[in-house]
Amino acid sequence: GAVVSQHPSRVICKSGTSVKIECRSLDFQATTMFWYRQFPKQSLMLMATSNEGSKATYEQGVEKDKFLINHASLTLSTLTVTSAHPEDSSFYICSARDPTRSSYEQYFGPGTRLTVT
Amino acid sequence: AQTVTQSQPEMSVQEAETVTLSCTYDTSESDYYLFWYKQPPSRQMILVIRQEAYKQQNATENRFSVNFQKAAKSFSLKISDSQLGDAAMYFCAYNNAGNNRKLIWGLGTSLAVNP
């Protein structure tokens, strides 16, 4: 149980275009999902917290107009990187929390490697 | 603010031996959760073990166990009978009871397992 999928696993886009990453909880309903960015050999950096049916809460320093997050259903959250630049190239990971579990652990998707050329 | 510290950037262990990864944290809360996550080369984050702060008994999951010292704010992970597949980055994380219950992450420990 507690499986999270993420699509696509890899994406290459041209500078100035937008790219959407999907995160789905497959066997549970996730009222809260999280989006992280991870640089090589570093820890996870939380970008935003996504709550179903409401606006995402962005961490300090994360541009909300650049990284658009939509949590339209209990099983799907999307991250859209708008007007992508080469410095946006990174590994993006989503996670979801199962509200039926009291321990608040997060279950992670396999990640998306974004390369902006 | 809560912080999580992993003081060992890299560690190595011989196959079949035991290794302990350190983690300390700082918080003023009394009720919280602690986790160890594993990130192998595939980069898929995997939950290894969880510990509820209100439980005195140390959590155990097969070859993985923790030494939870609440007063000392220490949460170390012991891996017994190390296997080649245990080679990965290991992250210690603290669950923040407020602020949407975010996870506060340590910087990670890279574990190498030598055959």
Side-chain angles (χ1 to χ4, degrees), chain B residues 12 28 38 51 56 72 81 84 92:
Chain B
S12 64
S28 58
K38 169 185 177 181
Q51 174 78 45
Q56 293 186 344
D81 186 25
L84 295 177
C92 177

Side-chain angles (χ1 to χ4, degrees), chain A residues 38 43 103 105-106 108 113, chain B residues 37 39 43-44 50 106:
Chain A
Q38 186 180 34
S43 188
S103 49
E105 65 255 33
Q106 295 177 19
F108 287 81
R113 180 174 301 283
Chain B
Y37 281 89
Q39 188 178 39
R43 302 191 78 170
Q44 169 75 61
R50 71 176 71 81

Side-chain angles (χ1 to χ4, degrees), chain B residues 89-102:
Chain B
M89 282 290 290
Y90 286 82
F91 293 98
C92 177
Y94 168 97
N95 171 243
N96 189 338
N99 294 331
N100 267 321
R101 303 191 183 278
K102 298 186 296 188

